[in-house]
């Protein structure tokens, strides 16, 4: 009888131990996943900043801050979160357990200091005669229009890929070793929230953060792929992302053709 009671108590203690283990394990898992909250503030005025890009680089998920600077974003432990806004220095933070358990983390952004070069404003060389000056102004505007039209024609994607991608190596090498980042970008096509967000952005910060490249890299790469300056500087971030993806894919094809030809 005593043996049976001892055995029963042992089983109960064992079950209780297993229960505690499962409880702590489940609690730990929940602590490592979930959502993060925060408020973005100006580091000088301490005023909230709305419409800030908040991108989970690990999961390729994004949102923007509200008028009070607050945001909520799905994240898990060790995810990389990228914050950017025009005129401010972008920052990247890693998700910690303290952040996951914190109701509202305050994050401060610093405004960028931009030094402008000397600006020269050109004026019309007018004669003072209304009839002549009117023609001079009209001619000047026509010349500007012709130059703009000539230098902003849409790129031609044809069979002459050899001449289309002259610096193939430069484009290929820029993205070489970034297979992980490029795969992440593919998931954007399946995320309507990210597409909507990038279609309203023009600062390239999201693209730079996701790909781990600079804005200068973006400009040089798209110029190498024969995109016009007008497209490079006026397209949305989503259009830039698509152009970079196509640019790399075409350069990869050309690189393979070069390798096959040499072999």
């Amino acid at each position: 009888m005593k043996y049976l009671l001892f055995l029963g108590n042992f089983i109960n203690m064992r079950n209780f131990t297993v229960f505690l283990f499962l409880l702590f394990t489940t609690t730990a898992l929940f602590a490592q996943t979930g959502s993060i909250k925060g408020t973005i503030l100006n580091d000088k005025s301490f005023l909230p900043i709305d419409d800030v890009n908040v991108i989970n680089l690990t999961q390729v998920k994004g949102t923007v801050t509200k008028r009070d600077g607050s945001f909520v974003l799905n994240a898990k432990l060790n995810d990389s979160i990228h914050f950017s806004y025009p005129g401010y220095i972008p920052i990247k933070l890693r998700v910690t357990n303290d952040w996951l358990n914190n109701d509202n983390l305050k994050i401060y952004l610093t405004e960028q200091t931009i030094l402008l070069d000397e600006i020269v404003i050109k004026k019309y060389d007018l004669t003072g005669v209304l009839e002549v000056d009117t023609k001079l102004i009209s001619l000047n505007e026509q010349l500007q229009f012709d130059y703009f039209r000539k230098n902003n024609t849409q790129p031609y994607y044809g069979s002459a890929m050899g001449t289309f991608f002259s610096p193939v190596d430069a484009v290929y090498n820029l993205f070489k070793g970034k297979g992980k980042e490029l795969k992440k970008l593919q998931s954007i096509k399946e995320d309507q929230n990210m597409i909507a967000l990038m279609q309203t952005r023009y600062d390239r910060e999201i693209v730079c953060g996701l790909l781990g490249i600079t804005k200068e890299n973006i400009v040089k790469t798209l110029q190498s792929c024969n995109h016009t300056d007008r497209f490079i500087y006026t397209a949305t971030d989503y259009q830039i992302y698509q152009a970079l993806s196509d640019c790399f894919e075409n350069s990869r094809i050309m690189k393979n053709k070069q390798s096959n030809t040499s072999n």
Side-chain angles (χ1 to χ4, degrees):
M1 186 67 178
K2 291 182 178 180
Y3 174 77
L4 293 175
L5 288 174
F6 172 77
L7 182 61
N9 291 333
F10 175 77
I11 294 174
N12 289 333
M13 287 297 296
R14 186 176 180 181
N15 290 338
F16 182 69
T17 303
V18 172
F19 171 75
L20 287 178
F21 174 77
L22 292 175
L23 178 63
F24 286 127
T25 302
T26 304
T27 303
L29 288 175
F30 274 109
Q32 294 178 353
T33 60
S35 61
I36 53 175
K37 299 179 181 180
T39 301
I40 309 297
L41 305 170
N42 182 297
D43 69 336
K44 294 292 191 297
S45 65
F46 303 109
L47 294 175
I49 310 175
D50 64 330
D51 209 33
V52 175
N53 302 323
V54 185
I55 307 298
N56 186 327
L57 300 179
T58 307
Q59 300 186 31
V60 196
K61 302 292 182 182
T63 186
V64 295
T65 57
K66 299 178 181 178
R67 294 188 64 180
D68 61 355
S70 65
F71 70 89
V72 179
L73 182 65
N74 291 334
K76 65 178 185 299
L77 186 65
N78 293 325
D79 280 358
S80 294
I81 311 300
H82 186 266
F83 303 89
S84 64
Y85 185 76
Y88 286 81
I89 299 174
I91 61 174
K92 184 167 64 175
L93 300 177
R94 189 172 297 277
V95 177
T96 62
N97 275 322
D98 290 338
W99 193 358
L100 286 169
N101 295 325
N102 196 327
D103 290 337
N104 193 354
L105 181 68
K106 291 184 179 180
I107 301 166
Y108 298 90
L109 292 185
T110 302
E111 292 187 58
Q112 289 180 330
T113 301
I114 301 175
L115 297 177
L116 297 177
D117 295 330
E118 181 181 0
I119 299 176
V120 178
I121 301 176
K122 296 182 179 180
K123 63 179 181 179
Y124 293 118
D125 294 324
L126 303 180
T127 63
V129 180
L130 180 60
E131 183 178 357
V132 176
D133 290 343
T134 301
K135 292 180 179 179
L136 286 174
I137 293 174
S138 177
L139 177 62
N140 184 74
E141 291 177 346
Q142 181 63 39
L143 288 173
Q144 288 182 346
F145 174 78
D146 290 341
Y147 175 82
F148 178 82
R149 184 175 58 182
K150 177 181 178 182
N151 289 276
N152 289 277
T153 55
Q154 292 298 320
Y156 171 72
Y157 296 87
S159 58
M161 281 294 184
T163 57
F164 179 75
F165 284 102
S166 50
V168 177
D169 291 337
V171 177
Y172 181 81
N173 291 332
L174 174 64
F175 293 101
K176 187 178 181 181
K178 293 185 178 293
K180 187 177 181 180
E181 288 81 357
L182 290 169
K183 287 181 179 178
K184 286 182 184 178
L185 289 183
Q186 296 303 316
S187 62
I188 291 178
K189 297 178 181 179
E190 303 173 2
D191 190 331
Q192 294 300 318
N193 290 330
M194 280 296 294
I195 292 176
L197 176 59
M198 295 181 71
Q199 284 177 338
T200 62
R201 292 297 187 266
Y202 299 85
D203 57 13
R204 313 298 181 243
E205 292 292 351
I206 296 178
V207 180
C208 291
L210 288 171
L211 279 177
I213 59 178
T214 65
K215 295 180 182 179
E216 289 76 14
N217 290 145
I218 293 175
V219 173
K220 291 179 180 178
T221 301
L222 294 181
Q223 286 176 340
S224 299
C225 295
N226 206 32
H227 282 283
T228 66
D229 287 344
R230 183 182 185 185
F231 172 82
I232 294 171
Y233 292 107
T234 63
T236 67
D237 280 1
Y238 185 68
Q239 291 173 316
I240 293 295
Y241 139 73
Q242 290 180 310
L244 286 173
S245 297
D246 293 341
C247 186
F248 170 72
E249 185 61 26
N250 288 326
S251 65
R252 185 181 63 81
I253 294 172
M254 284 302 305
K255 189 71 173 179
N256 292 336
K257 286 183 177 180
Q258 288 179 355
S259 299
N260 294 335
T261 302
S262 60
N263 293 334

